[in-house]
Amino acid sequence: MRAWVLAFAVVAAAGGIAGCNDDKVAGGGTPAGSATTSAAAAGGGAQTTVAAPVTTAPTRNDANVDARDFQQGDKYYFQSPTGNIMCGIIDDKNFGTGCQLEHASVVPSQLSDCGTRPNRAVAAEVNGGAAKFLCLNQGVFVGSPTDGTNKGGGKVLQYGQTLIVRGTACTSTQTGIRCDAGGHGFLIAADQQQLF
């Protein structure tokens, strides 16, 4: 009986390992939920990062903050509790929903020179049914300061909070900010970026 249970566990584990998806992860396109090794943007050393698993997108019932608290004109801006991730729900002819990093320790392979160029920010955006990485030279997704300082970024979206505006949902987690729109989106943090 013990041998049968052990054999079942091995088969189940192998089946879980064999599963794959088309998610894109900074550092080489490794599927979500598996470990990746990426060269750090600064210092050139290898750094291990673990991509967060892609889960079901939030629904409008998952919103637990009032979007009006994040509104600046006709746009919505927020930042992570650390202040390293600044995001905007812009939805104009040029930009959709995106987040940019003040500091990135891992840079997506598609933006290989972004971390080495001065005044460049690693960013991710979902717009028009597709998600992509961007290398920005200005604060596209950075709102005006809201805390009496000169640092922009908008109001803090605390861990566990989900903001939903016009069908786009962004959630703040301890592993980064995740935004979903129309079945596509991204997860962004200093040490990992993922498109789905």
Side-chain angles (χ1 to χ4, degrees), residues 63-196:
N64 55 15
V65 297
D66 189 333
R68 295 171 294 187
D69 293 339
F70 299 86
Q71 190 169 3
Q72 294 181 14
D74 63 345
K75 298 170 178 55
Y76 300 81
Y77 294 98
F78 61 93
Q79 62 182 303
S80 65
T82 64
N84 190 47
I85 309 170
M86 292 152 287
C87 304
I89 300 174
I90 296 175
D91 292 331
D92 66 16
K93 65 180 182 173
N94 297 314
F95 295 100
T97 297
C99 295
Q100 60 192 79
L101 299 169
E102 186 171 2
H103 304 287
S105 56
V106 172
V107 176
S109 59
Q110 298 92 319
L111 308 176
S112 60
D113 67 340
C114 189
T116 62
R117 296 166 63 192
N119 302 319
R120 298 291 175 167
V122 172
E125 176 194 33
V126 59
N127 190 10
K132 63 183 176 182
F133 292 123
L134 303 170
C135 184
L136 301 174
N137 63 359
Q138 53 189 313
V140 172
F141 300 112
V142 180
S144 298
T146 59
D147 61 0
T149 68
N150 290 332
K151 184 184 183 300
K155 184 175 176 179
V156 172
L157 189 65
Q158 299 293 340
Y159 297 133
Q161 290 184 330
T162 298
L163 169 67
I164 299 180
V165 177
R166 297 186 287 260
T168 297
C170 291
T171 302
S172 177
T173 72
Q174 292 191 8
T175 58
I177 300 282
R178 177 194 163 117
C179 291
D180 296 87
H184 296 280
F186 60 85
L187 173 75
I188 190 167
D191 60 353
Q192 64 176 322
Q193 301 88 37
Q194 176 184 1
L195 304 176
F196 49 89

